[in-house]
Every structure is written in structure tokens, then in C-alpha cells.
């Protein structure tokens, strides 16, 4: 559907007012509906034109390359440039603007000028250019003329007013092929009616040139009342020299089939009548009238028309040559609005939507009205040159016909796409829909409607008596569709009824009887929450309802519908079916929450939301959103990340105190009992997943630890550290942000060949959890936890030389995570969690390598360790939850922490002076279903 992008005031600029003719033909209304000619090519069959005029920049598609203009030594022709600007000059803030200012332009030189020969194949060029509208502001003159010269200084002594139009037979035979070429290519042809009224008032009572070709029939030729053929003449201005064509030459010419393939345009002046607030057309002293061509003729302004002229300029001109491109531009707007319409249909729309002026013998259908033309058909079956049935194949396009359509004709719609009727239509012919959708938001109350098996009728308007073989879907969302007559549901037809909140629903209200034939079904859909046990009236009749629907179909996993039918009303009632919700669970966590939701009253938030699920995927999405597995997952992250501090401290303690040789080689002081202070920032990230349990979990965090150490003899080292950190956990549509504070004490000592170390960490965690739930709700909670972790490590340092050592080690940790109870807020699917304790231990066996060296008096250290880690205890932490509204308890689990993983730790340090050490490191851990990474840096100062 077209949506207006700009307001009328946006177009009321100096550029718009420069061409006064744009106002009376109602262009602004068309533009505000979004139709500007974009995507349409307008062909200008005329004399030479300036292709590079600023008003045509980047929009002239044919010819390529553009020929030279102007030619040196010849007059500069202006007619073609002037005509092109009226149809399609740009909206660029300067000069003036054309009707189809966004259209592409194709040009073919159909009229010769001195130095610029015409092209006999101009019609073929127009077809090849892709033009769907062609303007022909040219034509032969009517003779004899009152004056022999253009300055009217030399009267024609042989002038006589002829009671008919003189036609040169050669002109017709030479040009009819071009007209047929354009007609067969489905191109809208617009021709000027001529400017001969002053010279031949009677002959100019109808269009001349190509615009009158459909009037050429054997009968009209034989009668000789409106035109006569001449085959030759020594002097066009002297009828005594004319040689009439013979019956053999022209008697069989019949071009009546061209009626409806072209538009003739008569030039008028226009005045505004303030009392009636309308524009009225006035005849001009020069313009040909519509006359016998009234069926395909209309009027457009043709006096003092301001448009483009060479070179890069603007100027005024009069004539039907100026009126025709206003119509051609409008036809381009209609082709944009309805790209599926044929040229004949576009012509019918442009003609019949003209503002009637009366006097069809003068003004034809009336004054061009672009704003009404882009709203679609307005009168059907009003003229024999148009088809009785306005048959369209919308071919996947969506469009709106908003005029009030009248007449005795019919409408037929085929093809994909939606055709929307919004007018209060009174046409009386039938309406047939065989494809796509007909959306009636106005009325077709006087038209009998037939809907084919592959088609749909919908909307909030009024239908006539309807025979349904396809689908009927009242409303646009929830709404009522009226039937002014009887309604028949044929075998295979479907009634799609949409249900809303508080018992509202779609409704078909029938003014007559309803007949339901065997094989018809109802398809129920819901716009929101379905309430079990709710009844919805979906069909009512002033007459009687006979027959029954074979079935009530619906797409829902957990709801079925039954019908209750009386003599004049039918309702559907929803009920919970026997399908367990857990039948569609994808993993263990989904199954747990599905069982809990099944224990709730179905009118509750979680239960009601699941009732509207129409696919296993939709149900699984809701299960995941409601499961609260974030609470289990963040436990897993807390337990995994708790070891970051202990691992860092263990690495520090494993280095021990340098030997006397190492100290000497590196310039390090070995004073007794040195005191050192250190600080270490770090960042972490990781993910883990287990499809059989729950969703993929990702997390990240950062922290800062700082502490003090005291070193003694025999490798004794004791220390204390504090740290602050924050972490973020994401799973499904849930997030957790945790701030934590940590306190640690640790120590290590040499026991003969072994080094023994250990420590104790206490952490306090405050988490904010947010869960995004279906239907735009959010549940949130704040919860407090505490974590205690003890670790110990036994290693066997081995010195290879003064700069290289290694040590196998065995490390074990054990963690206790205690979480307090919590209650979510913000949603009717809020969860409550119980207080619980989770424990997990790890056993790690590996080896470390330490290498030190000096380069340019700077000491360096490199550390690397590799280990296998084995976890035990609550490796898949559980959160015991229930819905706050009162459900059975259920447990969700975090993806399992793999029992065995591989860890790698790398570090590079450098001495700063005699008392400092700067260290950076990277650690990673990989397992079957998880991986963890951390980067860190530390600064140590020894006193």
C-alpha cells in the first residue's frame, strides 16, 4: 500500500507555482499519495531537444549517446525541450517542475527541423527505450489557412471554411504503422488534438492527426461528413488543386480498433470559480475541440505554459502541444500507482477521472485530474470503447482504489497481491476474485461477489451477495464485514475468524441468508491471548443459517475450538486440549518449565501466552524465555570465575624467591623478609553450552586485585589480597550483571624438595537479573550470594640452570556458593527462587616452566604451565524455581561443566629497577562444551 511521504504544503513552492497549469489538474494530491513517476519512462516523440538541460539531469535514458544539440549554423528548436519539461522537469528547487518529476525520459525525433532530420523508426525507438507512456505533440495542419504567412500579413485568397476535415491519405498510411506499434507494445499514447480552430472552425471541431485515427472507418469515409481524403494537391491552401482519394485507395481503411489505445488532448484556458471551489475550462481561440473523438478526448491547460527551453532556460508557449504532456505526465503517475494495469486501463482511468465540464463535444471527458486518476477507476462500462469488465492481474502488487466507483461494468481481479477498495462504490456489475486478496474497506454493496478457490476477500466494508469458494477474512485485525444480501460458503471454502481480547472477534454480519455447503471449514486465529472457555460470536444473519461447517481448524498446539450454531448466529468456543506442553520441549530446562506452566491456571500469564503458540519453535521460544536458566547459569560462572584469584596467587607463589645465583645475575636484592605490594587488573570471557540441557551461555568480566606479601626464609611467603570485579552473563533473552568484592589470605613454604601453598578466599556478590519475556514484558530481580573457596597446591621445583627451572604440581580447590532467596518483579510470569548452596571441587595436575634472561641490562621472566583439570561436585548447578503466582516447583540446570579440561597459562615479566616487576599473562581453558579465557597484568614493588 502507498503511504504518503509529504504534505501538500511541501509541494507549494515557487518552483511549483511557476507552471500555473499544475494547480488546476490537481497534481499535489497525486504527489502527496507518493506518486511522482518514479520507475516509469516517459517517451517524448517530438522535435530535437536539449538532453543536458539541468531539469533532465541523469534522467534521459534514450538516446545514448545523446546527439549534439544545438547544431552550429542552424536555428535552435525549442518545442521538444518545452514539451519534455511540462511532462517531467525535475523537482530540484529551481525553474519549474513537471507532472512526473521523478520519471525517466526517452526521446525520439519524430518531427524534423532544419539540420535535424526526423527518424522514421521513432515508434520502434520508443518501444526499445522501455517507455510505457509516449507523448506526441505533433500533427498535420488543417487547410486551407486564412493566411498564407505566419505573420498574418498575407490573406489567403482561396480560403474557405470546409464543413469537414481534409486528410492527406499519405500521412495516414505512413503513420498508422507507428501508432499500431505503440499500441501492440502496451504503451499509453497521448496526442495533442491540434491548434486549427482559427483556420478551420468546423474541421477543428475534432482532433486532427493521429488523435483522430480511430474515427477512420469505411462508413465515415463513405459518408464524408467529418473528414475527406485527398491524395495530392499542388497547393494545400487552394482546395481547387486537391485530388480526392478514390474508394479503392481509402475505402477499406478501418482503425476503429484503436479507440481506447490513445488519448486526444484539447488545449483550454482555466478559471477558478470560488463560489463552487472548482476549476472551469474555457475554450481557446486556437484549440481543436473533442467532437466525434469525445470518447478518448479530454482537456488540459494550454495557454501561457511555462517550461524548459534551450539553452538551460525557461519560457512560455501556447497550444495543445503544451496540454498533451500534462496528460502524459499524469499517465506516468498512474502507471506508477498501478503497474499491473494495461495501457487501455490506464487510459480509461485517466479519461474517466477527469473533472466533468459538460459539453463533451468540446471538452470530452472534462478537465484532467491527476489527483483523482491515481486513486484508480471511477466509472465502469460507461463507454463502448472500454471493456465491460475491468480485469486486472495484480501480479504480486498491493494497491488501493479509493475513488467511488460507479457504472454498470464489472471488476475482475487475478494474481497475487492485495487490491484494496476504500470508496463507497455503486457499480452494479459483478465482482470476481480469482487470485490474491480483495480487501473491501468501503462498499461494493450493489455488486454480486464471487471469490475463487485461490482467493481471499477481507476488510471492514460492505459486500454484495457473495458466493465463496476461497477464503473470507473479516476485518483488518479485529473487525466486522457486512454482506448486503446472501452469503454462500461453497465446498472447500474457509472462514478465517480472528479472536481478540475480552471476547471480541471478527464478525460477518449478513443482511440475508447464510448457506453452508458440505466441505466448508472455519479457521480460527487469535490476535493476542486466548482465554479457555471463552465464546466468540463470529457469524450472524438477519435471515437464517442453513448447513454446518465440517470442521473448525486452528494452528494452536494447546487449544481446540468447538462451534455453537443457532438459526441466525454461530459462535466458537476455546478449550484447552489434552496435549502436554512438555511434549514440545527441546531440552531438559524447557521440559521442566513446561511442566510447571501446565500446573498453572491457563488464564495466568505464562499459561495464556503458551496457548497462542502455533508451532513447536514458538513454544520452545516461550519455554526458554520463562525458564529462568540464567539463575543456574550465573552460578556456573561464579564458580568458574572464583578460581581466577587463586590461580593468580598460585602462580605467584610457585615462583618462590630467586636463588643467590639468580639474584646476582639479575641484580636483585636478597635482603631478609622483604615486603612487597602488588596490583593486578584482569579481564575474562568465555562460553559454555549443552544442547540437551539448555541454551548457550556467554559471559565476560573484569576485575582489579591488589595485595601485600611478606617473604621469609625457606621460601616462606604469606600475603593478603582484596579485589573488586564485575561480570555479565547472557543466556537466551536474559542477562545478569554481578558486582563482587573479594578477600583472600594465602601462603607458601618450602618443605624440603617440595613447595606447599594454599589460601582461602571469601567473596560477596550482588547480582541484577533481567529477563525479556514474550509480549514485551520484563521480569527482574536482585539477589545476594556469597562464595568461599579454599585451595592448596603441592609442587616439586626443579632447577635446570641459573636461568631455567620447572615444576610439576598438583592443585585442588573447593568452593561453596550460597545464594539467598529472591523474588522477581515486573511480570505476571515472575519467578521466585529458594536459598540454596552449591559446591564444586577441582583437581588439577600439570607442570610449570620458568625461564629468565637479561637483555641490555633488563631482566625478563617467562612462565608457562599446562595442566589437566578434573571437576567434581555440582558441575551442573541447579536453580530451584517456581512461578510467583503459584506453580509446582521446577529445577533448571546450567550446562554441565566438563569433568576434564585442558588449561594453558602464559606469562611474561620484566624487572623494573631493583624492586619492581611488571608481568602480563594470558590463560585459557578448553573442554568439550566450554572454553574460558583471561588476560591479566600485574605490578609488584618490593621493599
Amino acid at each position: 500500500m502507498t503511504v504518503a511521504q509529504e504534505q501538500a504544503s511541501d509541494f507549494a513552492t515557487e518552483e511549483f507555482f511557476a507552471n500555473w497549469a499544475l494547480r488546476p489538474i490537481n497534481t499535489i494530491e497525486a504527489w502527496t499519495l507518493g506518486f511522482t513517476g518514479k520507475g516509469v519512462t516517459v517517451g517524448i516523440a517530438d522535435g530535437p531537444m536539449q538532453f543536458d538541460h539541468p531539469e533532465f539531469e541523469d534522467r534521459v535514458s534514450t538516446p545514448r549517446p545523446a546527439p549534439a544539440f544545438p547544431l552550429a549554423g542552424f536555428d535552435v528548436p525549442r518545442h521538444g525541450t518545452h514539451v519534455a519539461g511540462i511532462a517531467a522537469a525535475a523537482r530540484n528547487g529551481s525553474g519549474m517542475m513537471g507532472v512526473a518529476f521523478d520519471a525517466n525520459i526517452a526521446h525520439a525525433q519524430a518531427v524534423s527541423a532544419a539540420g535535424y532530420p526526423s527518424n522514421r523508426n521513432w515508434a520502434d525507438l520508443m518501444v526499445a527505450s522501455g517507455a510505457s507512456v509516449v507523448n506526441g505533440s505533433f500533427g498535420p495542419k488543417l487547410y486551407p489557412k486564412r493566411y498564407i504567412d505566419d505573420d498574418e500579413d498575407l490573406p489567403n485568397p482561396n480560403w474557405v471554411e470546409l464543413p469537414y476535415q481534409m486528410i492527406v491519405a499519405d500521412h495516414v498510411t505512413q503513420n498508422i504503422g507507428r501508432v499500431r506499434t505503440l499500441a501492440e507494445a502496451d504503451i499509453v499514447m497521448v496526442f495533442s488534438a491540434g491548434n486549427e480552430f482559427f483556420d478551420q472552425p468546423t474541421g477543428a471541431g475534432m482532433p486532427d492527426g493521429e488523435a483522430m485515427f480511430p474515427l477512420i472507418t469505411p462508413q465515415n469515409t463513405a459518408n464524408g461528413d467529418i473528414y475527406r481524403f485527398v491524395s495530392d494537391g499542388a497547393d494545400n491552401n487552394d482546395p481547387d488543386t486537391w485530388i480526392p482519394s478514390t474508394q479503392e485507395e481509402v475505402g477499406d481503411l478501418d482503425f476503429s480498433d484503436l479507440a481506447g489505445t490513445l488519448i486526444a488532448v484539447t488545449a483550454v484556458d482555466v478559471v477558478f470559480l470560488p463560489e463552487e471551489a472548482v476549476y472551469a475550462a474555457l475554450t481557446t481561440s486556437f484549440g481543436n475541440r473533442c467532437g466525434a473523438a469525445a470518447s478518448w478526448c479530454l482537456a488540459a491547460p494550454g495557454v501561457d505554459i511555462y517550461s524548459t527551453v534551450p539553452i538551460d532556460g525557461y519560457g512560455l508557449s501556447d497550444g495543445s502541444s503544451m496540454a498533451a504532456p500534462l496528460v502524459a505526465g499524469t499517465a506516468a503517475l498512474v502507471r506508477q500507482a498501478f503497474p499491473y494495469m494495461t495501457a487501455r486501463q490506464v487510459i480509461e482511468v485517466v479519461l474517466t477521472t477527469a473533472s466533468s465540464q459538460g459539453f463533451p463535444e468540446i471538452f470530452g471527458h472534462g478537465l484532467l485530474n491527476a489527483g483523482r486518476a491515481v486513486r484508480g477507476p471511477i466509472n465502469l462500462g460507461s463507454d463502448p470503447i472500454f471493456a465491460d469488465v475491468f480485469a486486472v492481474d495484480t501480479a504480486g502488487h498491493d494497491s488501493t482504489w479509493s475513488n467511488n466507483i460507479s457504472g454498470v461494468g464489472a471488476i475482475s481481479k487475478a494474481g497475487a497481491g492485495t487490491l484494496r477498495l476504500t470508496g463507497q462504490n455503486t457499480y452494479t456489475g459483478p465482482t470476481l476474485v480469482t487470485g490474491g486478496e480483495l480487501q473491501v474497506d468501503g462498499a461494493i454493496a450493489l455488486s454480486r461477489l464471487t471469490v475463487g478457490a485461490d482467493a481471499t476477500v477481507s476488510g471492514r466494508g460492505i459486500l454484495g451477495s457473495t458466493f465463496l469458494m476461497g477464503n473470507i477474512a473479516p476485518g483488518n485485525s479485529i473487525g466486522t464485514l457486512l454482506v448486503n444480501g446472501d452469503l454462500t460458503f461453497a465446498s472447500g471454502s474457509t472462514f478465517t475468524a480472528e479472536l481478540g481480547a475480552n471476547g471480541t472477534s471478527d464478525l460477518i454480519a449478513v443482511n440475508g441468508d447464510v448457506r453452508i455447503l458440505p466441505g466448508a471449514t472455519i479457521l480460527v486465529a487469535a490476535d493476542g491471548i486466548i482465554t479457555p472457555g471463552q465464546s466468540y460470536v463470529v457469524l450472524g444473519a438477519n435471515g437464517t443459517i442453513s448447513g454446518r461447517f465440517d470442521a473448525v481448524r486452528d494452528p494452536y498446539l494447546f487449544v481446540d475450538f468447538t462451534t455453537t450454531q443457532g438459526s441466525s448466529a454461530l459462535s466458537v468456543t476455546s478449550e484447552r486440549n489434552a496435549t502436554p506442553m512438555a511434549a514440545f520441549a527441546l531440552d531438559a530446562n524447557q521440559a521442566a518449565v513446561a511442566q510447571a506452566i501446565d500446573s498453572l491456571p491457563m488464564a495466568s500469564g505464562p499459561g495464556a501466552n503458551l496457548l497462542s503458540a502455533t508451532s513447536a519453535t514458538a513454544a520452545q521460544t516461550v519455554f526458554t524465555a520463562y525458564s529462568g536458566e540464567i539463575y543456574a547459569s550465573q552460578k556456573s560462572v561464579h564458580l568458574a570465575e572464583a578460581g581466577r584469584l587463586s590461580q593468580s596467587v598460585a602462580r605467584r607463589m610457585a615462583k618462590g624467591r630467586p636463588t643467590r645465583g639468580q639474584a646476582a645475575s639479575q641484580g636483585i636484592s636478597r635482603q631478609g623478609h622483604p615486603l612487597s605490594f602488588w596490583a593486578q587488573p584482569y579481564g575474562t570471557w568465555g562460553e559454555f553450552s549443552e544442547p540437551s540441557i539448555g541454551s548457550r551461555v556467554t559471559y565476560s568480566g573484569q576485575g582489579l586485585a591488589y595485595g601485600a606479601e611478606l617473604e621469609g626464609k625457606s621460601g616462606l611467603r604469606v600475603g593478603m589480597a582484596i579485589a573488586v570485579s564485575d561480570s555479565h552473563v547472557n543466556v537466551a533473552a536474559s542477562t545478569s550483571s554481578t558486582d563482587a568484592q573479594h578477600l583472600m589470605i594465602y601462603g607458601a613454604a618450602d618443605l624440603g624438595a617440595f613447595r606447599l601453598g594454599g589460601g582461602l578466599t571469601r567473596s560477596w556478590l550482588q547480582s541484577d537479573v533481567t529477563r525479556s519475556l514474550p509480549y514485551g514484558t520484563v521480569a527482574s530481580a536482585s539477589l545476594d550470594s556469597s562464595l568461599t573457596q579454599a585451595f592448596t597446591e603441592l609442587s616439586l621445583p626443579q632447577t635446570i640452570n641459573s636461568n631455567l627451572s620447572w615444576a610439576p604440581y598438583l592443585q585442588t580447590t573447593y568452593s561453596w556458593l550460597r545464594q539467598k532467596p529472591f523474588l522477581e518483579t515486573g511480570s505476571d510470569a515472575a519467578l521466585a527462587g529458594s536459598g540454596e548452596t552449591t559446591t564444586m571441587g577441582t583437581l588439577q595436575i600439570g607442570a610449570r616452566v620458568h625461564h629468565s634472561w637479561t637483555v641490555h641490562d633488563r631482566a625478563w621472566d617467562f612462565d608457562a604451565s599446562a595442566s589437566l583439570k578434573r571437576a567434581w561436585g555440582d558441575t551442573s548447578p541447579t536453580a530451584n524455581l517456581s512461578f510467583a503466582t503459584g506453580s509446582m516447583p521446577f529445577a533448571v540446570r546450567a550446562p554441565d561443566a566438563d569433568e576434564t579440561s585442558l588449561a594453558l597459562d602464559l606469562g611474561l615479566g620484566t624487572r623494573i629497577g631493583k624492586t619492581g616487576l611488571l608481568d602480563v599473562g594470558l590463560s585459557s581453558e578448553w573442554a568439550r562444551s566450554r572454553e574460558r579465557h583471561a588476560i591479566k597484568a600485574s605490578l609488584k614493588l618490593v621493599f
Side-chain angles (χ1 to χ4, degrees):
M1 304 297 181
T2 300
V3 179
Q5 298 296 312
E6 296 185 79
Q7 302 299 313
S9 58
D10 297 326
F11 294 99
T13 63
E14 183 177 350
E15 182 184 17
F16 166 75
F17 290 113
N19 181 1
W20 71 268
L22 296 176
R23 291 189 70 186
I25 66 171
N26 200 15
T27 53
I28 285 184
E29 182 179 348
W31 296 336
T32 56
L33 290 171
F35 304 118
T36 61
K38 191 173 184 63
V40 178
T41 298
V42 177
I44 304 297
D46 212 288
M49 66 173 281
Q50 182 193 350
F51 300 99
D52 60 353
H53 195 290
E55 294 287 353
F56 310 140
E57 186 176 2
D58 297 327
R59 292 189 299 123
V60 178
S61 60
T62 301
R64 281 285 183 264
F69 182 94
L71 295 179
F74 295 96
D75 290 340
V76 179
R78 56 180 278 164
H79 189 276
T81 306
H82 198 270
V83 167
I86 296 168
R91 182 190 180 199
N92 58 7
S94 65
M96 46 73 64
M97 56 198 291
V99 177
F101 54 77
D102 277 335
N104 293 322
I105 301 170
H107 177 268
Q109 191 166 318
V111 179
S112 62
Y116 304 85
S118 62
N119 192 319
R120 290 179 174 271
N121 298 320
W122 65 264
D124 294 324
L125 292 177
M126 289 287 89
V127 174
S129 73
S132 58
V133 178
V134 169
N135 184 87
S137 287
F138 55 78
K141 297 180 179 180
L142 296 184
Y143 292 95
K145 296 290 185 182
R146 288 181 184 267
Y147 293 90
I148 295 176
D149 64 336
D150 292 336
D151 295 329
E152 299 184 358
D153 293 330
L154 185 60
N156 179 7
N158 300 309
W159 179 84
V160 62
E161 180 181 348
L162 298 178
Y164 52 83
Q165 193 176 110
M166 184 273 283
I167 304 175
V168 178
D170 284 349
H171 172 81
V172 174
T173 56
Q174 290 171 7
N175 287 281
I176 187 61
R178 295 163 188 156
V179 174
R180 290 204 179 279
T181 294
L182 298 177
E184 291 167 2
D186 196 47
I187 293 175
V188 174
M189 293 178 282
V190 180
F191 292 108
S192 56
N195 308 308
E196 311 303 318
F197 195 81
F198 173 74
D199 287 306
Q200 290 294 325
T202 303
M206 68 177 191
D208 59 31
E210 284 78 354
M212 62 79 59
F213 278 7
L215 291 173
I216 298 176
T217 67
Q219 181 177 352
N220 286 340
T221 300
N223 290 340
D225 294 334
I226 59 175
Y227 65 84
R228 293 181 187 178
F229 283 105
V230 296
S231 59
D232 197 2
D235 185 352
N236 286 335
N237 279 314
D238 184 359
D240 291 337
T241 68
W242 297 350
I243 301 174
S245 299
T246 65
Q247 181 69 19
E248 289 75 15
E249 290 175 320
V250 297
D252 294 333
L253 297 180
D254 189 352
F255 307 144
S256 58
D257 61 304
L258 293 175
T261 67
L262 56 83
I263 301 174
V265 186
T266 181
V268 297
D269 203 350
V270 178
V271 295
F272 182 70
L273 304 178
E275 301 83 4
E276 304 174 37
V278 296
Y279 288 94
L282 302 176
T283 57
T284 62
S285 62
F286 55 82
N288 289 31
R289 312 324 190 203
C290 287
S295 291
W296 58 89
C297 186
L298 52 64
V303 178
D304 289 337
I305 305 301
Y306 187 72
S307 183
T308 48
V309 297
I311 297 292
D312 297 347
Y314 304 88
L316 297 171
S317 286
D318 300 333
S320 60
S321 286
M322 285 64 251
L326 293 170
V327 178
T330 297
L333 305 187
V334 176
R335 297 227 87 158
Q336 179 192 3
F338 313 113
Y340 51 83
M341 285 188 183
T342 65
R344 282 181 175 268
Q345 290 170 334
V346 171
I347 289 168
E348 180 176 352
V349 167
V350 172
L351 290 170
T352 58
T353 54
S355 302
S356 176
Q357 304 292 298
F359 306 102
E361 70 280 5
I362 298 175
F363 304 114
H365 286 270
L367 183 64
L368 174 67
N369 190 329
R372 199 153 61 180
V374 297
R375 295 182 181 275
I378 199 168
N379 190 279
L380 303 176
S382 62
D383 197 297
I385 72 167
F386 304 130
D388 292 334
V389 179
F390 201 98
V392 295
D393 183 335
T394 48
H397 296 282
D398 296 336
S399 67
T400 298
W401 295 356
S402 56
N403 284 320
N404 297 327
I405 306 172
S406 61
V408 297
I411 290 176
S412 173
K413 181 204 175 304
T418 298
L419 175 59
R420 183 179 179 222
L421 303 181
T422 62
Q424 298 304 307
N425 305 304
T426 58
Y427 66 93
T428 56
T431 302
L432 173 64
V433 189
T434 59
E437 181 176 345
L438 179 69
Q439 181 178 324
V440 181
D441 290 329
I444 56 171
L446 304 182
S447 174
R448 180 171 181 80
L449 172 65
T450 301
V451 181
D454 297 322
T456 294
V457 61
S458 65
R460 298 168 176 261
I462 305 174
L463 310 179
S465 289
T466 300
F467 185 82
L468 182 76
M469 294 179 283
N471 180 40
I472 187 168
N476 312 314
S477 188
I478 303 299
T480 297
L481 189 60
L482 303 177
V483 178
N484 184 40
D486 298 333
L487 171 61
T488 299
F489 291 91
S491 179
S493 64
T494 301
F495 172 16
T496 299
E498 192 171 12
L499 311 181
N502 304 317
T504 61
S505 68
D506 284 342
L507 174 66
I508 301 177
V510 182
N511 195 33
D513 297 327
V514 176
R515 187 165 59 128
I516 306 170
L517 301 180
T521 60
I522 297 178
L523 175 62
V524 174
D527 180 16
I529 302 299
I530 300 174
T531 304
Q534 178 72 57
S535 291
Y536 307 84
V537 176
V538 295
L539 178 63
N542 287 338
T544 60
I545 300 176
S546 60
R548 291 186 175 276
F549 289 101
D550 278 9
V552 181
R553 297 183 291 114
D554 67 79
Y556 304 106
L557 303 180
F558 309 116
V559 178
D560 289 333
F561 293 86
T562 58
T563 61
T564 301
Q565 182 174 323
S567 61
S568 60
L570 182 145
S571 62
V572 295
T573 302
S574 59
E575 57 185 23
R576 173 73 167 93
N577 62 27
T579 304
M581 291 185 175
F584 297 96
L586 193 62
D587 53 49
N589 286 343
Q590 289 187 5
V593 72
Q595 292 171 357
I597 293 174
D598 242 347
S599 72
L600 291 168
M602 285 298 99
S604 68
N609 289 340
L610 260 300
L611 292 183
S612 62
T614 59
S615 67
T617 300
Q620 291 156 6
T621 299
V622 176
F623 293 152
T624 296
Y626 283 151
S627 68
E629 58 185 300
I630 184 72
Y631 293 106
S633 298
Q634 75 167 0
K635 287 183 181 181
S636 187
V637 173
H638 292 334
L639 290 168
E641 292 302 299
R644 291 292 181 197
L645 282 176
S646 60
Q647 289 293 328
S648 177
V649 170
R651 177 171 173 266
R652 299 177 59 79
M653 293 188 298
K655 289 185 176 182
R657 195 177 182 197
T659 66
R660 186 180 302 275
Q662 291 171 329
S665 67
Q666 300 179 28
I668 302 173
S669 172
R670 292 188 78 254
Q671 300 175 7
H673 309 294
L675 176 64
S676 64
F677 296 92
W678 57 271
Q680 176 177 290
Y682 61 90
T684 66
W685 68 96
E687 63 177 62
F688 50 95
S689 62
E690 183 60 58
S692 64
I693 295 176
S695 304
R696 175 175 173 267
V697 181
T698 61
Y699 64 90
S700 62
Q702 56 191 2
L704 174 64
Y706 41 96
E709 295 178 359
L710 184 64
E711 299 183 30
K713 296 180 179 180
S714 301
L716 177 66
R717 178 180 296 181
V718 294
M720 175 180 290
I722 59 176
V724 292
S725 66
D726 63 77
S727 61
H728 306 277
V729 182
N730 296 277
V731 53
S734 303
T735 60
S736 168
S737 297
T738 299
D739 293 323
Q741 301 81 42
H742 314 272
L743 176 64
M744 171 183 283
I745 57 174
Y746 59 92
D750 293 335
L751 300 177
F754 293 94
R755 180 181 295 273
L756 178 66
L760 184 67
T761 303
R762 177 71 172 179
S763 303
W764 295 267
L765 306 98
Q766 303 83 39
S767 302
D768 292 320
V769 176
T770 300
R771 296 189 302 126
S772 297
L773 303 177
Y775 297 99
T777 61
V778 175
S780 58
S782 297
L783 59 157
D784 296 325
S785 306
S786 62
L787 187 146
T788 302
Q789 184 180 74
F791 75 94
T792 183
E793 179 179 299
L794 181 65
S795 62
L796 182 61
Q798 303 288 317
T799 300
I800 297 176
N801 56 45
S802 61
N803 295 319
L804 181 64
S805 63
W806 75 285
Y809 68 90
L810 179 68
Q811 183 186 107
T812 182
T813 64
Y814 201 77
S815 303
W816 297 264
L817 176 64
R818 295 180 176 85
Q819 178 185 283
K820 294 182 179 181
F822 67 88
L823 178 64
E824 288 184 334
T825 59
S827 171
D828 55 4
L831 295 172
S834 59
E836 44 199 11
T837 300
T838 306
T839 61
M840 188 174 72
T842 62
L843 179 64
Q844 188 171 350
I845 183 169
R848 294 189 182 92
V849 176
H850 174 79
H851 177 55
S852 60
W853 69 97
T854 301
V855 178
H856 301 302
D857 297 326
R858 177 175 293 278
W860 294 87
D861 289 295
F862 173 74
D863 296 279
S865 70
S867 63
L868 288 175
K869 184 184 291 186
R870 180 78 174 180
W872 78 90
D874 297 328
T875 57
S876 181
T878 299
N880 294 298
L881 307 169
S882 62
F883 286 100
T885 52
S887 71
M888 60 177 283
F890 64 97
V892 294
R893 296 165 53 198
D896 196 26
D898 297 295
E899 293 183 350
T900 303
S901 59
L902 172 65
L904 181 65
D905 187 87
L906 303 173
L908 179 66
T910 184
R911 303 289 175 174
I912 301 177
K914 295 182 178 298
T915 61
L917 175 65
L918 177 64
D919 199 349
V920 294
L922 170 68
S923 62
S924 295
E925 182 179 332
W926 297 274
R928 178 181 58 84
S929 62
R930 69 172 57 206
E931 60 179 74
R932 303 164 54 201
H933 306 281
I935 55 175
K936 52 200 171 187
S938 65
L939 177 64
K940 176 182 176 181
L941 298 176
V942 181
F943 296 90

